[in-house]
Amino acid sequence: MNILKRFKFQEDIDELTNNGILLPCLSSPVDLDGYRFAFESENINNHKPVYKQDPKRLVSAQENNKLTTSGYALSCFENDSKAILSYESICKIIKLFPKTAGDSLFYGKLIAEDGLVTDFSTSGHYDLYEYNDFEPSLRFLFKEKLR
Amino acid sequence: MRQIDGLNVKFDISQMIKICDLISFDGPLLSHYMNKKGENYLFKWVDTDNSYNRWLFFRVDLAELQNYINKKRTLYDLLTNCNDGFAYFVDIDAEIGYHNLCILSVENIDTDYLPEVDSMYEFIPSDGLNLDSFSQKYNSGILEFRITGEQVHYGSIPLSKFAPIIPKIEEIRKELAGKYIKQRKKQFTITDKEKKGAIGKTLALETQYEVIYALAGSFRLILRPVGQQTQLPDTISFADEFAEEMVGLFNAGFNKELLETYISKYNKNLIKKYNDFILYLFDNKLGLDIKWANNNSKQDYKQKIKVTETVSILKNLSDFQYNDNEEIKYKGRFFAINTRSGSYSFESTEGDDFKSSGFFDAKIKSLIFQISFNKEYDVIIERQTSEKVGEKEKIKDTLESYIENEEKIELDDN
């Protein structure tokens, strides 16, 4: 990890880690494919981590006290087919999912200067913890409309 | 967001306890909650605008919920055929304030808020249980055992797998509690017998648990201490201390140094019981999460043992050998001696069943021809006990000294 770099939401993450919440294992991306959902048109929540979106999607105040560092990271997928499969599965249950996650698929190749990433889950999902100077709207470009 | 023409109702959502997130992507989308009465509810995110997130929620039987998770029913079916015939809607703002709470007949729900007809469950539930909610509700620390692994489904486990777990956990707790109470009592310098007795009683109650729930989300047992020690905010209770030891034991299996600490602090029986329990998990392909949360003291301890990790814990335990040396004094007689090899067999005449077989110490080996089988001797034996976890105890006795007792004894006919 580049010790001179700070995460974009370092203070929020520090608050959690000071309370015993652990960061997951992270590594530097090297030309890593990143597919993520966002809105094709301008949107206030575009490329914002979930805890920075307004309003937060939580049911109870107790949940608000049990946040994890993942909420300050950007969700990505390792390839487009896994991203689309995940999107369509959720849309079957939650028809208006595009209203909260975005209506389109964006793509960018992540490099070490962008931030740190978690391991892939079985669904191909991983989190990107952005560095302070990373600008996601310049890295992730529109690929296709999903809905 | 769509206009909902529902009937305004009161419903205390803040008292609901989250059991599990069934679907989440950047936060929950479909979550299982439980109310104070133990009734199950599904909360489904349905819509949003600049100010609110809208959730639909409805009461569901646990068996029906299990059918959904086990892909036997769709969510559409669960919702449109729910027992109550209606669902609740609530708009939640950024400060978790609840607005426009209403009920609506399921036939009148906007189709955009319903799942697709073929809405089968294709996800992995994530652990969303908030122990703090239980702690707040019971004004007490809460201990959770969550069992995962083969044949463990959402809120169900075969009885044959589950039944042996409880006594094994209880054996570990008993061993830990016995020593913990002794050690903790020693730290008090109170001479007043009554006060000392009261502390002992509190310690005993704070280290015993009662089951308050068996819950879904794999299979969970929720326990709380039997005792209810009065606790000032942010102060650590006996129950917190003991839970930390309990959770720490499950962590110690991963680290030989920590294991050594536990062994020196407690005793070999505890490690044996711990080994038995981990072996049981291994044999049955089970995993375990143990968690403690206390809302008063803000103490929070947890440890996860994955199914695949039990083998490494067993390996650490098998590397451990318990050694003990003790000096044993007895009165008795010899019933076998080999003057060449220097071996002996000795039995007590003090009215107990004590027997010892071993070798004479090299320093006295040359004198053993003087020993008579019809005389009684006071002997000192050095007993070395060694035991590898999971194996039988090995005893090595060395007879250090013997002094003839003046009285002659009658030999048995045998």
Side-chain angles (χ1 to χ4, degrees), chain B residues 102-265:
Chain B
C102 65
I103 57 169
L104 187 69
S105 161
V106 288
E107 300 94 60
N108 295 326
I109 296 175
D110 191 298
T111 52
D112 274 350
Y113 292 170
L114 290 173
E116 298 281 2
V117 176
D118 60 345
S119 48
M120 277 292 180
Y121 189 69
E122 292 165 357
F123 307 85
I124 299 166
S126 58
D127 183 17
L129 181 69
N130 195 338
L131 276 192
D132 283 343
S133 313
F134 281 100
S135 178
Q136 206 172 349
K137 181 179 167 185
Y138 286 98
N139 192 26
S140 154
I142 298 290
L143 186 68
E144 178 200 356
F145 285 98
R146 178 169 174 252
I147 299 148
T148 56
E150 200 174 86
Q151 292 180 291
V152 183
H153 302 295
Y154 195 78
S156 74
I157 181 171
L159 185 62
S160 58
K161 275 200 166 188
F162 179 61
I165 289 176
I166 302 299
K168 285 184 192 297
I169 291 175
E170 177 57 7
E171 280 177 358
I172 290 173
R173 184 208 66 78
K174 258 191 197 166
E175 284 292 339
L176 260 180
K179 196 79 181 199
Y180 166 78
I181 291 170
K182 264 188 196 168
Q183 288 170 351
R184 204 63 184 81
K185 267 172 148 178
K186 275 187 195 165
Q187 291 169 17
F188 289 95
T189 49
I190 302 164
T191 47
D192 185 332
K193 269 190 177 175
E194 214 168 286
K195 279 185 184 167
K196 230 177 173 176
I199 287 170
K201 203 173 173 186
T202 305
L203 279 164
L205 293 175
E206 292 291 299
T207 54
Q208 286 179 60
Y209 299 107
E210 59 188 7
V211 177
I212 49 175
Y213 282 108
L215 291 178
S218 293
F219 192 84
R220 307 165 192 266
L221 274 181
I222 307 294
L223 307 106
R224 68 167 174 176
V226 174
Q228 295 296 307
Q229 187 186 2
T230 313
Q231 196 176 4
L232 296 168
D234 299 326
T235 56
I236 295 173
S237 65
F238 293 144
D240 287 320
E241 283 180 3
F242 182 67
E244 191 177 12
E245 290 293 295
M246 187 99 161
V247 176
L249 173 68
F250 286 90
N251 177 35
F254 290 95
N255 181 316
K256 285 184 188 173
E257 281 176 24
L258 279 177
L259 208 53
E260 284 290 345
T261 313
Y262 264 85
I263 287 156
S264 57
K265 196 171 172 185

Side-chain angles (χ1 to χ4, degrees), chain B residues 61-74:
Chain B
D61 288 340
L62 184 60
E64 296 300 332
L65 185 54
Q66 286 169 334
N67 281 338
Y68 169 55
I69 290 163
N70 296 332
K71 305 180 202 304
K72 289 177 185 161
R73 285 187 77 175
T74 62

Side-chain angles (χ1 to χ4, degrees), chain B residues 319-333:
Chain B
D319 288 346
F320 163 72
Q321 186 163 319
Y322 177 83
N323 294 314
D324 189 31
N325 277 7
E326 60 177 332
E327 198 179 73
I328 303 170
K329 290 179 181 174
Y330 259 100
K331 187 179 285 183
R333 64 177 187 178

